[in-house]
Amino acid sequence: MKVALVFSIQLGFLILVQCASNQFLPYSKFLKIQHLKQTYGSPNLSTDDFVVHVDSHDGLKAADKISRLPGQPSESKFNQYSGYVTVDPHHGRALFYYFIESENNSSTKPLVLWLNGGPGCSSLGSGAMMELGPFRVNKDGKTLSINKYSWNQVANILFLESPAGVGFSYSNKSSDYKTSGDTQTAKDSYTFLVNWFERFPEYKTRDFYITGESYAGHYIPQLAQLILNSNHVAINLKGIAIGNAYIDDETQQTGSRDFWWFRSIVSDEIHDGIVKHCNFSWKSVLSDKCKTYLNEEYQMIRDIYAYDIYAPLCLNGTSVETTGFDPCSEDYVQSYMNIPEVQKALHANLTGLPGPWSDCNYDIFNNWTDQPFSMLPTIQQLMGTGIRFWMYSGDTDSSVPVTTTKYAIKKLNTTIKTPWYPWYLNDEVGGFAVVYENLTFVTVRGAGHFIPNFKPDRALALFSSFLDGKPPAS
């Protein structure tokens, strides 16, 4: 998998995105990325602020049904659908989805929306094909194998490629690709859901959850807030769960620095210099001395796989697999998604997109227009609504390390109900958990950023606990 982190010093803060490279790239290369942090927190989103376009969806569900994906194992026994939902007919903006019904009593199972982050990365490529979906792409890039820990064992899972320009999602107005941001993504995702429920009306009253990872730490709270503030349509939102959540810039930076130091990747001298000379708080400006230490830190971390500090790199399309994780998985998915027969089976790329499908769109990332400094005010508001709120972290991820989430939770000043304890799966410690007032935090031991890929059994156990509303068993 050719994936690493790109860091950029912009307005005094480090920004992350998945990048098709084996290494960290120099800070200076992305100094001109325009990330506009116009506010400390996210605006209070409401459907009163925009027009929600709703189409007729007669017959579209049947048209979206997938008969079979190329290379799909014959023993697959569940319904799957994919296609487009128009969210703005004036711009010709349409979002692509992939939906898998549960293999066990789908009519009684909840509906779960999964969102990957970036911003600008695909929930189909990463989420469905590399993490929690029913299939994994084999090394040949042409065939699929069964994921025996697929989350559709316990829920109906909906994957959304958002915003327009990500994966197969598109707009007929190219300027839309230069105006994407947190707010527009939330509005389009909400409009997508309203229309998707018209296409699949049997799910309108179903218990609904939103899950995802990384920069979905912005997407998920914003979309949840919009759903709860909506007077347009009733969506039965029961809870949200975010993995390795990018939710607060200050703790993202302090937590990352401490993680690398705790794991003996960065020296005491460099870490002490960063602590002494760097101020990552709201509206602060990094000093030249701070930048010097950050660049020294970069020299230490640049050749380590950011999404799991103990995993090998994907070098020239080959890797040394460890514990079942293959860092070249993204290459296999890239090949599979660009097979014409696969796109035809998925009802994708109907308009002839200008380039090949890719897991992340860096033009979207580079032109991202609004990005609140912190999602904690929105999270605090959601915690008071009564919906279930979980965060979870793979503890070997250095892109959004476990320390960043722990530090962010401290800023919420919430009360501990059940102190930190180990949870178990198959007589092994699966991770650790702590229950707060209106918030549960769970770690997954030995997992990197893409938790269902690194530790699929523990990820499924965690997800099942979340749906049950019970912390993992001690």
Side-chain angles (χ1 to χ4, degrees):
M1 185 195 309
K2 297 180 180 178
V3 182
L5 283 183
V6 174
F7 282 106
S8 166
I9 299 175
Q10 181 61 240
L11 298 178
F13 301 98
L14 301 178
I15 310 305
L16 78 156
V17 71
Q18 293 173 217
C19 176
S21 168
N22 287 322
Q23 301 174 335
F24 287 94
L25 299 182
Y27 296 123
S28 58
K29 193 167 185 178
F30 282 83
L31 284 175
K32 295 182 180 180
I33 294 176
Q34 297 301 312
H35 282 267
L36 306 178
K37 299 184 179 67
Q38 297 170 330
T39 61
Y40 175 81
S42 177
N44 190 13
L45 300 176
S46 167
T47 52
D48 294 336
D49 302 330
F50 66 103
V51 176
V52 178
H53 165 75
V54 183
D55 264 334
S56 170
H57 292 267
D58 292 344
L60 294 182
K61 174 186 172 181
D64 285 354
K65 190 169 184 179
I66 299 170
S67 57
R68 187 176 180 276
L69 292 174
Q72 176 181 318
S74 59
E75 62 266 33
S76 308
K77 295 179 180 178
F78 53 86
N79 292 325
Q80 49 184 338
Y81 302 82
S82 60
Y84 287 95
V85 171
T86 298
V87 295
D88 185 338
H90 302 293
H91 285 201
R93 194 161 67 244
L95 301 184
F96 185 81
Y97 79 91
Y98 173 59
F99 176 52
I100 51 172
E101 290 192 311
S102 179
E103 60 187 48
N104 302 309
N105 301 315
S106 63
S107 62
T108 64
K109 296 292 194 299
L111 173 66
V112 177
L113 172 67
W114 173 271
L115 299 172
N116 277 86
C121 295
S122 167
S123 300
L124 173 61
S126 294
M129 291 297 176
M130 284 171 43
E131 298 187 69
L132 57 132
F135 307 118
R136 296 283 173 83
V137 181
N138 296 324
K139 288 185 177 182
D140 61 9
K142 300 176 182 179
T143 59
L144 304 173
S145 56
I146 294 290
N147 172 18
K148 67 178 181 178
Y149 297 107
S150 174
W151 288 12
N152 79 321
Q153 294 179 42
V154 295
N156 304 287
I157 312 291
L158 175 61
F159 300 91
L160 174 63
E161 292 194 308
S162 179
V166 173
F168 292 123
S169 296
Y170 69 92
S171 175
N172 290 332
K173 191 168 184 178
S174 59
S175 61
D176 282 351
Y177 303 145
K178 298 186 183 299
T179 58
S180 294
D182 281 23
T183 301
Q184 190 60 55
T185 299
K187 291 177 179 178
D188 281 358
S189 296
Y190 176 82
T191 302
F192 165 84
L193 281 176
V194 171
N195 282 273
W196 189 89
F197 280 117
E198 292 300 315
R199 192 172 299 187
F200 292 81
E202 66 271 28
Y203 284 94
K204 282 186 177 182
T205 59
R206 201 74 60 90
D207 287 356
F208 178 63
Y209 298 89
I210 312 175
T211 60
E213 67 195 9
S214 196
Y215 197 81
H218 281 226
Y219 295 160
I220 293 172
Q222 290 162 338
L223 178 57
Q225 181 188 65
L226 193 48
I227 289 170
L228 293 173
N229 287 346
S230 170
N231 295 318
H232 188 271
V233 66
I235 295 176
N236 193 23
L237 180 63
K238 293 295 185 180
I240 61 178
I242 315 169
N244 290 87
Y246 190 104
I247 54 177
D248 181 76
D249 276 18
E250 181 178 17
T251 57
Q252 171 66 26
Q253 307 320 321
T254 57
S256 295
R257 320 267 85 75
D258 286 351
F259 179 85
W260 292 320
W261 177 57
F262 291 157
R263 298 297 178 118
S264 300
I265 297 171
V266 171
S267 70
D268 292 352
E269 293 77 15
I270 293 174
H271 182 261
D272 290 346
I274 291 172
V275 171
K276 181 178 179 179
H277 295 286
C278 295
N279 179 1
F280 297 110
S281 60
W282 168 238
K283 287 193 173 179
S284 65
V285 177
L286 297 186
S287 67
D288 289 341
K289 193 75 172 176
C290 170
K291 292 177 184 179
T292 297
Y293 279 110
L294 290 178
N295 279 310
E296 290 179 7
E297 177 190 62
Y298 156 70
Q299 298 303 321
M300 299 296 105
I301 65 176
R302 60 181 295 174
D303 293 324
I304 292 174
Y305 184 64
Y307 294 114
D308 181 348
I309 59 173
Y310 302 120
L313 298 173
C314 180
L315 300 171
N316 300 316
T318 61
S319 69
V320 178
E321 293 186 37
T322 58
T323 62
F325 168 69
D326 186 344
C328 293
S329 297
E330 186 182 325
D331 290 355
Y332 315 149
V333 173
Q334 178 92 8
S335 296
Y336 185 77
M337 287 298 168
N338 283 293
I339 297 173
E341 292 78 12
V342 171
Q343 295 184 2
K344 183 178 180 180
L346 287 168
H347 320 119
N349 197 11
L350 302 177
T351 58
L353 299 176
W357 180 95
S358 61
D359 194 42
C360 294
N361 184 327
Y362 301 106
D363 288 336
I364 295 290
F365 169 72
N366 292 345
N367 291 288
W368 203 252
T369 58
D370 63 296
Q371 181 185 45
F373 180 82
S374 179
M375 290 304 301
L376 295 181
T378 302
I379 288 171
Q380 207 145 29
Q381 182 188 69
L382 292 172
M383 287 168 60
T385 64
I387 66 169
R388 192 173 306 154
F389 199 127
W390 283 34
M391 288 193 279
Y392 57 96
S393 291
D395 63 10
T396 63
D397 174 35
S398 74
S399 61
V400 190
V402 60
T403 43
T404 68
T405 303
K406 292 174 71 175
Y407 293 177
I409 290 173
K410 282 186 178 180
K411 292 174 73 171
L412 291 171
N413 294 316
T414 187
T415 305
I416 293 177
K417 294 174 63 179
T418 303
W420 188 269
Y421 70 91
W423 63 273
Y424 290 81
L425 180 67
N426 299 325
D427 298 321
E428 292 275 359
V429 174
F432 297 84
V434 55
V435 180
Y436 298 90
E437 190 71 38
N438 303 320
L439 172 67
T440 297
F441 176 56
V442 182
T443 73
V444 180
R445 187 170 67 92
H449 191 68
F450 309 108
I451 294 175
N453 194 316
F454 290 95
K455 294 293 180 182
D457 54 345
R458 293 175 185 175
L460 179 59
L462 184 155
F463 179 61
S464 299
S465 294
F466 167 68
L467 293 181
D468 290 340
K470 300 175 182 178
S474 60

